[in-house]
Amino acid sequence: MKNIVLMGPPGAGKGTQAKLIIAEHNLPHISTGDMFREAIKNQTPLGKIASQYINDGHLVPDDVTIGLVKERLSMDDCANGYILDGFPRTLVQAEALKKLTEEINRPITAVLNIDAPKDLLVERISGRRVCKTCGAPYHIVNRKPKVEGVCDNCGGELYQRKDDNIDALNTRLDIYNKDTAPILDYYAKEGLLYTFDGTIGAEKLIQEINALLEGK
Ligand code: AMP
């Protein structure tokens, strides 16, 4: 069973790899960041709570985020596997996730950690552009669309996330090191952790990830 958690600092390539894994294995992609951005766009009560935290690069409170993930993982489309991207981000979330996935009989089978040095993360995030419609990722230097500002896949408009500026990014990286990185030890002890080099390029990386997932 492929009940997968994708981990790594902002800019490591989680979103890109998640999309490639989905294309190969047909699993639902559960990105808490995407769920929050959708809620903000639709101005739902959840969006109103989340927006200020997100724009400043802070974490949305654990109880809100855990409730959201519990509801999503319980849905029918997660019965045959799922990819969690951007959750858990704190030890409290990791422990809650263990409990809730065991309760619904969908326990995590692998944690894929993508690692990359800070200078590369800063370069990737500060040049990142995202499609407003389908979420496809681009970069102003490394992955340009065919037509500037327009998504190759769906023709949607490309934009820069509000939290992809240097101040919010520094906050996100500090929070990652302080709150999120300790979860890696937790998963190593559980025997679930597989770490990948995020500097080798998306195509090579997905080959390595697929090789591991074949046995899962
Ligand atoms: P991401 O798209 O994964 O980079 O997430 C964007 C932002 O959404 C984060 O910087 C947080 O503000 C919020 N967020 C996403 N996932 C979580 C989480 N698991 N816990 C708390 N906040 C989150």
Side-chain angles (χ1 to χ4, degrees):
M1 183 64 76
K2 293 178 177 59
N3 296 340
I4 297 163
V5 172
L6 263 180
M7 289 198 55
K14 296 188 296 293
T16 300
Q17 291 304 312
K19 288 196 162 50
L20 294 171
I21 296 171
I22 294 161
E24 180 84 16
H25 301 278
N26 194 26
L27 300 169
H29 176 203
I30 302 172
S31 156
T32 41
D34 284 352
M35 290 163 90
F36 287 134
R37 280 184 288 276
E38 189 65 23
I40 292 170
K41 194 166 87 187
N42 296 328
Q43 299 185 336
T44 67
L46 173 70
K48 286 187 184 132
I49 296 174
S51 64
Q52 202 52 54
Y53 294 103
I54 294 189
N55 289 343
D56 295 343
H58 291 287
L59 294 183
V60 178
D62 281 338
D63 53 345
V64 177
T65 312
I66 290 166
L68 185 70
V69 169
K70 184 169 188 178
E71 198 179 306
R72 183 65 188 87
L73 282 182
S74 305
M75 290 184 182
D76 287 349
D77 65 338
C78 295
N80 297 316
Y82 53 81
I83 303 178
L84 263 177
D85 165 5
F87 184 96
R89 269 178 150 100
T90 65
L91 212 45
V92 171
Q93 291 180 10
E95 282 163 357
L97 181 64
K98 180 178 163 73
K99 189 159 163 267
L100 83 89
T101 50
E102 284 173 356
E103 271 167 18
I104 59 176
N105 209 13
R106 296 172 182 178
I108 296 158
T109 51
V111 176
L112 313 181
N113 173 40
I114 307 174
D115 204 11
K118 183 173 174 184
D119 53 346
L120 186 62
L121 302 174
V122 171
E123 186 206 304
R124 283 181 180 171
I125 293 280
S126 50
R128 173 157 73 177
R129 298 291 181 273
V130 185
C131 174
K132 247 184 195 165
T133 309
C134 74
Y138 293 88
H139 189 277
I140 52 170
V141 179
N142 306 331
R143 196 186 301 162
K144 290 184 185 179
K146 292 196 185 92
V147 178
E148 199 185 317
V150 180
C151 178
D152 293 347
N153 299 339
C154 74
E157 183 191 338
L158 304 187
Y159 80 111
Q160 181 172 33
R161 278 171 45 174
K162 268 196 185 153
D163 59 345
D164 279 352
N165 64 73
I166 195 69
D167 286 343
L169 176 59
N170 278 325
T171 305
R172 286 156 71 202
L173 288 171
D174 286 348
I175 291 175
Y176 177 82
N177 290 327
K178 184 166 96 23
D179 294 327
T180 309
I183 306 178
L184 299 175
D185 269 350
Y186 170 85
Y187 283 129
K189 287 192 187 112
E190 299 258 317
L192 291 169
L193 186 69
Y194 301 88
T195 292
F196 296 87
D197 178 356
T199 68
I200 62 176
E203 286 78 21
K204 268 196 184 162
L205 186 53
I206 190 62
Q207 283 174 15
E208 293 195 0
I209 289 177
N210 279 335
L212 175 95
L213 292 180
E214 255 169 44
K216 293 275 156 205

